Amino acid sequence: MALTRRREGPSASFRPTIDPSSSAPLPRQLYLSLRNAVTERRLTGGQRLPSTRLASAEWAISRGVIAEAYEILISEGFAVARHGSGTYIASSIPEGAARIDPSGAGSAQAIRRGVSAAATAILTRGPSLEPQKALPFVTGRIAHDERTARLLNRIAVRHMNYAFEGYGDIQGEYALRAAISAHLAVSRGVRCSPDQIFITAGTQQALDLAFRVLMTPGDTAVVEDPCYPPARQCLALNGIEVVGLPVDRDGIDISRLLDGTLPPPAAFYVTPSNQYPVGSVLSLSRRLGLLAYAEENDCWIIEDDYDSEFRYQGHPIASLHGLDKAGRVLYTGTFSKALLPSLRIGYLVVPADLVPAFRAVRPAVDRCPPSFQQRVIADFLEEGYFPAHLRRLRERLRASRDMLAGFLRERLAEHVAVLLPDQGINLTVRSAGSWDDDTAVSAAALRKGVVVMPLSRMNVVSTDRSRLLFGFSGLSEAEADMGTWVLAEVFEGGSTFCRDR
């Protein structure tokens, strides 16, 4: 029997508007394009939309993206699905529907009228973190370890019993706090009891909790310049004024505080073991100077030790917390870099006399951290798997660092000077003199599918635009090979940011 081809309706000639440079996900862009065509009557009620197979061929978009966009249209009443027939434009448009600007400009303007000044400032500044896609050199990726994955899966099965679940302790599971206390004493010289530890949803929640408890809106915090953007945003949302002090090869320079040029702040936020994003290590003399200044001037120090486990040469300098004799330091760390970001487990160590204040505030922010993930990590630490996991991970990361540095020196020596770090999972490069606009370099690279972060985006008062940040965790040789060749092409064609062009 001959097959009769289904006749195509007018919608088959529709062409969606897709912006490849937009940060909006493709399904949302396609949905908005179709929705606007409906509200503007370019697509009318009863018309059959192209099948996902035909639309994919005509629009050069994957069938999965098209199916997701169609599902959104159906859920919002702009389309209906007829079993065995296809997807059709609804005969009546949902009441109050109007055109939406795909760029989001209209909605952003409406939102800003009703949000805080701090939120408006963050919106105006724009996104501070790179797209979290598996692109070459993106930061925050995790190097997968099959042995660790098997162990975590095996441990997880033990705790999949929901019959006994309920609200947990405000500070987190005691077993995990005890395991972290023992780990920090050996690895970082942090002296604390389990009762001083609060389990948090990563470092960011730890910082927010510390800023809320320690500072009052209008207070001043000193940060490193450049500084980790989400920390600055968290300070802003808590109404804290920020003062940036420059960073050099020995870490943050507090000479302007020591000579009285600046008044004492309420608190310092620092990353002394591996300054983010520059990668320098705070020298012992400056550590001691900062601790003495904090004691003399009644300041708090929030020490973000986000990836201290990854030291490749020599022994790490003792943590600020380990050197602190006056109880001025609050210490925070995370398992996001060493295990999995999706576990969302970090921790905050607070002075013993501040525990009641933190216990009082914590429920207003978050009733308690999730028990399941805590129990899995607690067993992983208690049963002794963590040190071996870190040794394997360090060797892989060292190899990735050296591989990336080698490619950069081989192919981009004319354009960048590589600053090889002794610790961490990122490295920075500085202009070799051929370019002077890191944001333009970053934008040009991203258009070609490569992520390099401009450090100027993290400046507080500095005007330096000559540095770029590369992530090498989870980086394959194929990605590093391809990515460095692409960057070489970017620099060769960089008439907008290269000098003498």
Side-chain angles (χ1 to χ4, degrees):
M1 178 179 176
L3 294 176
T4 302
R5 186 172 181 228
R6 180 177 289 152
R7 289 185 298 172
E8 297 176 359
S11 62
S13 61
F14 174 76
R15 293 294 180 270
T17 301
I18 301 295
D19 180 4
S21 65
S22 172
S23 60
L26 277 178
R28 177 163 178 79
Q29 289 194 58
L30 178 57
Y31 151 73
L32 288 176
S33 185
L34 289 164
R35 183 191 190 278
N36 289 336
V38 173
T39 59
E40 295 166 0
R41 300 296 193 274
R42 290 184 284 122
L43 293 176
T44 59
Q47 287 183 353
R48 181 178 179 273
L49 290 171
S51 68
T52 57
R53 183 184 300 276
L54 176 61
S56 178
E58 293 292 326
W59 301 344
I61 300 174
S62 74
R63 295 180 67 183
V65 167
I66 295 166
E68 187 173 342
Y70 283 6
E71 287 172 6
I72 299 173
L73 286 171
I74 293 168
S75 68
E76 295 193 356
F78 290 96
V80 293
R82 298 177 186 172
H83 183 69
S85 179
T87 303
Y88 292 78
I89 303 300
S91 56
S92 61
I93 300 175
E95 186 177 352
R99 189 184 192 282
I100 296 178
D101 182 356
S103 69
S107 60
Q109 183 63 34
I111 291 172
R112 289 177 189 170
R113 286 200 296 270
V115 301
S116 68
T120 300
I122 292 173
L123 281 168
T124 302
R125 185 177 178 88
S128 60
L129 294 177
E130 71 281 357
Q132 292 301 301
K133 299 178 182 177
L135 298 176
F137 317 132
V138 71
T139 61
R141 292 172 66 183
I142 298 302
H144 180 73
D145 185 272
E146 187 59 40
R147 187 181 307 178
T148 295
R150 287 197 301 269
L151 289 168
L152 289 173
N153 285 330
R154 190 177 73 194
I155 294 170
V157 172
R158 304 174 191 167
H159 300 290
M160 293 296 290
N161 186 347
Y162 292 97
F164 300 101
E165 289 296 340
Y167 288 115
D169 190 289
I170 289 170
Q171 290 182 236
E173 295 285 312
Y174 186 86
L176 178 57
R177 289 186 278 133
I180 290 173
S181 175
H183 168 68
L184 292 178
V186 173
S187 65
R188 301 298 294 129
V190 172
R191 304 179 304 278
C192 67
S193 72
D195 293 334
Q196 293 175 253
I197 296 176
F198 285 75
I199 305 302
T200 61
T203 298
Q204 196 65 20
Q205 188 182 59
L207 296 179
D208 182 55
L209 186 60
F211 297 155
R212 287 175 186 268
V213 173
L214 300 179
M215 289 183 278
T216 300
D219 281 351
T220 298
V222 164
V223 302
E224 301 153 326
D225 185 11
C227 176
Y228 179 53
R232 284 183 63 193
Q233 292 171 351
C234 189
L235 286 164
L237 288 171
N238 282 287
I240 310 302
E241 299 294 327
V242 171
V243 173
L245 293 181
V247 171
D248 58 26
R249 61 185 300 173
D250 291 320
I252 189 170
D253 181 359
I254 62 169
S255 56
R256 290 176 60 199
L257 288 167
L258 297 178
D259 64 17
T261 304
L262 294 174
F268 294 86
Y269 166 72
V270 290
T271 53
S273 295
N274 181 25
Q275 199 281 327
Y276 189 93
V278 172
S280 58
V281 177
L282 188 62
S283 65
L284 181 58
S285 61
R286 287 191 183 178
R287 289 177 189 239
L288 296 175
L290 179 58
L291 289 168
Y293 181 91
E295 181 178 1
E296 293 168 6
N297 294 277
D298 197 25
C299 307
W300 298 108
I301 301 173
I302 295 92
E303 178 180 13
D304 185 351
D305 212 20
Y306 64 98
D307 65 357
S308 61
E309 294 92 350
F310 308 124
R311 177 84 179 176
Y312 308 117
Q313 291 172 298
H315 296 287
I317 298 176
S319 65
L320 279 173
H321 191 283
L323 298 170
D324 180 26
K325 307 297 183 185
R328 307 307 305 178
V329 178
L330 290 85
Y331 179 96
T332 181
T334 178
F335 291 100
S336 293
K337 308 296 186 296
L339 287 175
L340 291 172
S342 57
L343 288 170
R344 303 308 306 139
I345 296 293
Y347 49 88
L348 177 68
V349 180
V350 308
D353 59 325
L354 292 184
V355 169
F358 276 84
R359 284 187 63 89
V361 172
R362 174 65 183 271
V365 179
D366 179 28
R367 173 62 182 84
C368 64
S371 298
F372 174 73
Q373 293 95 316
Q374 293 182 77
R375 292 170 186 169
V376 173
I377 296 179
D379 285 2
F380 190 78
L381 296 180
E382 288 176 344
E383 294 171 22
Y385 300 124
F386 198 42
H389 165 75
L390 288 178
R391 284 194 296 271
R392 293 193 302 273
L393 194 54
R394 270 194 294 265
E395 288 308 307
R396 291 185 62 182
L397 290 171
R398 185 206 303 270
S400 293
R401 177 202 65 171
D402 294 345
M403 172 186 64
L404 174 57
F407 279 137
L408 290 170
R409 286 167 174 160
E410 175 187 339
R411 298 167 183 174
L412 291 141
E414 179 185 351
H415 302 288
V416 302
V418 179
L419 308 176
L420 193 69
D422 290 334
Q423 64 287 317
I425 58 176
N426 309 309
L427 65 79
T428 57
V429 302
R430 182 180 287 279
S431 172
S434 64
W435 54 275
D436 56 7
D437 187 346
D438 57 1
T439 57
V441 175
S442 175
L446 187 57
R447 286 194 292 270
K448 291 180 175 290
V450 172
V451 171
V452 286
M453 287 290 291
L455 264 65
S456 64
R457 188 181 296 177
M458 308 177 205
N459 288 346
V460 182
V461 294
S462 171
T463 59
D464 190 346
R465 299 172 67 86
S466 67
R467 294 176 292 185
L468 298 166
L469 181 70
F470 291 68
F472 57 79
S473 58
L475 181 69
S476 69
E477 183 174 359
E479 289 174 324
D481 183 32
M482 180 273 287
T484 48
W485 278 124
V486 168
L487 283 175
E489 294 173 2
V490 166
F491 281 114
E492 288 305 312
S495 58
T496 59
F497 51 79
C498 285
R499 296 171 177 168
D500 303 322
R501 294 249 178 181

